[in-house]
Amino acid sequence: MNIIEIKNVNKGYKLGDDMVPVLKNVNFTVEKGEYVAILGPSGSGKTTLMNIIGCMDLLDSGEYYLNGRPIHETPEKEMTEVRNKEIGFIFQNYQLIPTYNVMQNIIMPLLIRGMGHVEAKKQCKDIVRLLGIDHRLDHKPNELSGGQKQRVSIARALSSQPAILLADEPTGALDSASGKDVLKLFGQLNELGNTIVMITHDLKVAKTAKRIVKIQDGCLSEYHDDL
């Protein structure tokens, strides 16, 4: 079953009177339970593709189905619900709320969806134990290491039980050891059945995924070691 299905997608931006193409006839699928890395340098179009996958930007033409839902036909007013329910975002710079403690940051998406505090905390209990941050729940982000902050970000992403985890350069702000720990954790989460799409410019990071697609000048292709 395809969780993500992108068909003939094009996206461009206006620069003065000209339209600059960024994504060119992109086709891309991700099956349920896959762990895929999208590899590309700065300016390749990978951020634009991530924004479309994450329902944060609209495509100009083509089709995008997320967990069977036609995103290209979904009204903008429904997109917030789609993002909150279907996608768990993991950002390079964590995007944690500094005045909230770890537990408050993790359960925030559930509270937005209308879940009560007690139920939300109960739902997150196993997640924080799995990620090794159950002893840090009362701490605020400035009291955590970079690796711990990213684990909180991952826990928040997992809390809504999303269709996909979408990770944007997840090791970019981490030291080497913390980065390796986070990538090892991604592998474990994938083994548990989570579908992961990771955006990166780093080939070593990309190679920890089970499949790599390469984006260059807005065009997507499968990556092979001999390329």
Side-chain angles (χ1 to χ4, degrees), residues 124-143:
C124 291
K125 191 175 180 181
D126 291 337
I127 296 173
V128 296
R129 189 182 298 115
L130 172 68
L131 299 183
I133 51 174
D134 47 323
H135 63 300
R136 292 285 190 174
L137 296 180
D138 294 328
H139 292 248
K140 291 186 177 178
N142 66 352
E143 300 172 309

Side-chain angles (χ1 to χ4, degrees), residues 158-221:
L158 286 167
S159 67
S160 298
Q161 299 175 329
I164 64 167
L165 295 175
L166 183 59
D168 177 24
E169 300 281 5
T171 63
L174 301 177
D175 60 58
S176 179
S178 297
K180 287 179 180 178
D181 286 343
V182 166
L183 292 174
K184 182 180 178 181
L185 180 58
F186 277 7
Q188 293 170 343
L189 292 173
N190 179 241
E191 291 297 322
L192 291 172
N194 292 281
T195 306
I196 303 174
V197 178
M198 177 171 61
I199 315 297
T200 182
H201 70 280
D202 189 329
L203 179 57
K204 289 183 180 179
V205 171
K207 283 187 173 182
T208 62
K210 292 182 177 176
R211 177 164 71 97
I212 303 174
V213 294
K214 183 179 179 180
I215 187 165
Q216 184 73 44
D217 298 326
C219 297
L220 213 64
S221 61

Side-chain angles (χ1 to χ4, degrees), residues 1 87 172 178:
M1 174 185 171
I87 305 165
S178 297

